[in-house]
Amino acid sequence: MVRDITDRKKAEDDLMKARIELEQRVKERTYQLEEINTQMKQEIMDRRKVEDDLKESFITLRKTLEGIVHAIAIVVEARDPYTAGHQRRVAQLACAIAKQMGFKGEEIEGIRVACLLHDVGKITIPIEILSKPGKLSETEFSFIKKHPVVGYDILKGIEFPWQVATIVYQHHERIDGSGYPGGLSRKDILIESKILSVADVVEAMSSHRPYRPARGIDKALGEILENRGVSYEPEVVNSCLKIFAEKIFDFE
């Protein structure tokens, strides 16, 4: 009887001791988990702050980039008043074509920026040539043909998130290899450059130039239709014709 009581007392003591140890372990583990939870919350807050700071920096950089693009475009148009607004209108048309072709957000933005800067190389061309009312001589036209290369040299040092310099370099290339400055053929020309080239031709032909009156949008669309698959990428031409035919786009 005494032995049973003693054994029971020992068992109760052991149980009490085990419970106390368990409670202590639970308390320690709970404290550890609370510490981990606090650290995780702080890390999440820190990460969110970093993300917010990055977003703010990105927005600031975008605004700065947009300011640079706008400033360069103004300089180009100031040098060549007869084509004032040309780059902006080309950008509007090219973006509409790209959207029709299925391009999305950032892809279209890259095309827009390249269009706004595509004639930057003309700042080295004498104003007498840019504003000459008659037909250009072979020598004078050779100056004009250099502007994609000059534009490329000006823009290649700017770290755009798109291939702006290359698009500008290629915007007078033609898919049959008859363009300039490199005589590139279809497979070597960026699709963005093909879009820009069509938009450039349509806007230029439909607008007034010092050496000729405006030919109108119908003549301009007729030009790209006639040379679809020869000078201009068929998919680009088809998209351009479609947005005008369905009145999806019109120059402002």
Side-chain angles (χ1 to χ4, degrees), residues 189-205:
I189 304 172
L190 296 175
I191 185 61
E192 294 89 345
S193 302
K194 294 172 181 176
I195 293 171
L196 171 50
S197 68
V198 167
D200 190 30
V201 167
V202 170
E203 199 290 325
M205 287 187 66

Side-chain angles (χ1 to χ4, degrees), residues 153-220:
D153 289 339
I154 291 171
L155 299 172
K156 67 182 180 182
I158 302 175
E159 293 187 12
F160 291 104
W162 317 280
Q163 298 183 73
V164 171
T166 302
I167 297 170
V168 168
Y169 177 85
Q170 296 179 350
H171 79 277
H172 278 291
E173 299 289 354
R174 299 293 180 255
I175 63 173
D176 62 353
S178 64
Y180 63 86
L184 304 178
S185 56
R186 171 180 277 159
K187 64 182 178 61
D188 299 314
I189 304 172
L190 296 175
I191 185 61
E192 294 89 345
S193 302
K194 294 172 181 176
I195 293 171
L196 171 50
S197 68
V198 167
D200 190 30
V201 167
V202 170
E203 199 290 325
M205 287 187 66
S206 61
S207 301
H208 173 75
R209 289 294 181 269
Y211 49 86
R212 60 155 175 81
R215 294 178 180 173
I217 191 64
D218 291 338
K219 285 281 183 67

Side-chain angles (χ1 to χ4, degrees), residues 15 39 43 58 75 91 124 140 166 225 232 240:
L15 184 61
Q39 290 175 6
E43 287 176 2
F58 179 76
V75 170
T124 62
E140 290 168 334
T166 302
L225 177 59
Y232 313 112
C240 183

